[in-house]
Amino acid sequence: MKNLNEYIQKLRTDRNMSQVEVSNAFKDKGYNVTNQMIYNWESGRIRISGELLLILCDILEISDIRAAFDRNNVPSLLSDLNESGQKMVSEYADILRASGLYKKEPAEIIPLPVKRTMKLFHLPVSAGNGAYLDSDAYDEIEVGNEVPENADFGVTISGDSMEPQFVGGQTVWVHAQNELEDGEIGIFYHDGEGFIKKLEHHDGKTFLISLNHRKYQPREIKEEDVFLVYGQVVG
């Protein structure tokens, strides 16, 4: 496997240019590069700078720098083979691909944990007969990727009316919004109490529905009631 200095020497000799000719070409471009400097580059005694490497590529008429200097570049590996040899390598590569044993696996992308601060309310919302959601009683906690990106705050459930999907003591994450579509589960305020329920509309009436139908009846929201939507449960 060639080092950079060996590539420089090979590219120069492939173009039938002497070190003196390359030195003169540098001087024509306004760079005082001696043939001794070129010898030092090619012998590995000193390393060519990035600026001079670009000028050298221009002198040697190299338009694709990566293809010329990349050690893993396949065409450069075939450059010493004649047409028959290159054809044999190509045919062997086809056999390897067809076997399926040497397929290059994509690199695994492991997402970095994203930390953010979220409000978690102390007083639980009810999955039963109601408990007041105090908007001032909360902690600021740090959460990661386990919390949906569109969540704005968390609350703790009490009761069993939303089982089996939600259980007492569970924290749910809520996207703050003041309207929900029919059938969506959200956090609601109704006459001084906080609830997690499913919103449904029937025959011009609005109901908060429990998932535990056998134990809890629908809670009707009447026109004169104080009713607010805190948001949609998203996780």
Side-chain angles (χ1 to χ4, degrees):
M1 183 175 292
K2 290 183 173 62
N3 294 317
L4 177 61
N5 57 301
E6 294 174 312
Y7 275 112
I8 292 174
Q9 183 180 35
K10 183 178 186 305
L11 291 169
R12 176 182 61 79
T13 56
D14 284 349
R15 285 154 179 77
N16 296 316
M17 293 185 70
S18 68
Q19 292 176 348
V20 173
E21 289 173 325
V22 173
S23 172
N24 290 335
F26 267 106
K27 291 174 182 176
D28 290 341
K29 293 180 178 294
Y31 291 85
N32 186 24
V33 173
T34 65
N35 58 308
Q36 181 63 42
M37 290 176 63
I38 297 170
Y39 170 79
N40 289 336
W41 293 342
E42 295 181 353
S43 63
R45 293 184 179 182
I46 61 174
R47 191 174 186 85
I48 187 172
S49 69
E51 180 183 4
L52 293 181
L53 179 60
L54 292 176
I55 301 301
L56 177 63
C57 289
D58 184 48
I59 292 171
L60 299 179
E61 298 180 344
I62 297 171
S63 57
D64 190 341
I65 298 176
R66 180 173 181 178
F69 290 96
D70 188 354
R71 300 176 185 180
N72 297 315
N73 183 266
V74 174
S76 68
L77 297 178
L78 304 180
S79 60
D80 293 336
L81 299 178
N82 60 23
E83 185 176 349
S84 296
Q86 292 183 15
K87 183 178 179 181
M88 291 176 66
V89 172
S90 178
E91 291 174 349
Y92 184 59
D94 289 339
I95 294 173
L96 294 179
R97 292 190 191 96
S99 72
L101 299 176
Y102 303 95
K103 183 178 180 181
K104 185 176 181 180
E105 297 295 335
E108 181 182 2
I109 300 176
I110 302 176
L112 295 175
V114 177
K115 296 295 183 181
R116 54 195 170 119
T117 301
M118 189 79 64
K119 291 180 180 179
L120 177 61
F121 286 89
H122 297 315
L123 297 180
V125 293
S126 176
N129 292 320
Y132 182 66
L133 177 63
D134 188 338
S135 61
D136 295 324
Y138 61 82
D139 282 328
E140 295 275 358
I141 65 170
E142 190 177 73
V143 299
N145 294 331
E146 74 280 2
V147 175
E149 289 186 8
N150 61 338
D152 296 305
F153 63 90
V155 293
T156 304
I157 297 173
S158 67
D160 59 357
S161 74
M162 295 300 284
E163 291 182 355
Q165 186 171 351
F166 303 101
V167 298
Q170 178 181 348
T171 296
V172 296
W173 301 102
V174 184
H175 173 62
Q177 57 190 79
N178 55 20
E179 292 184 1
L180 290 184
E181 298 292 331
D182 187 59
E184 291 182 333
I185 295 175
I187 304 298
F188 305 95
Y189 175 92
H190 183 215
D191 285 347
E193 297 176 313
F195 292 92
I196 174 172
K197 300 290 182 186
K198 182 168 70 170
L199 182 69
E200 288 190 2
H201 302 285
H202 299 292
D203 302 323
K205 297 180 181 180
T206 300
F207 297 90
L208 297 181
I209 305 296
S210 300
L211 299 183
N212 189 349
H213 304 291
R214 295 181 179 179
K215 187 173 180 180
Y216 296 92
Q217 296 298 315
R219 186 182 181 97
E220 183 179 354
I221 307 301
K222 299 179 181 179
E223 187 174 347
E224 64 271 17
D225 293 347
V226 178
F227 177 68
L228 299 172
V229 178
Y230 284 121
Q232 181 186 6
V233 174
V234 293

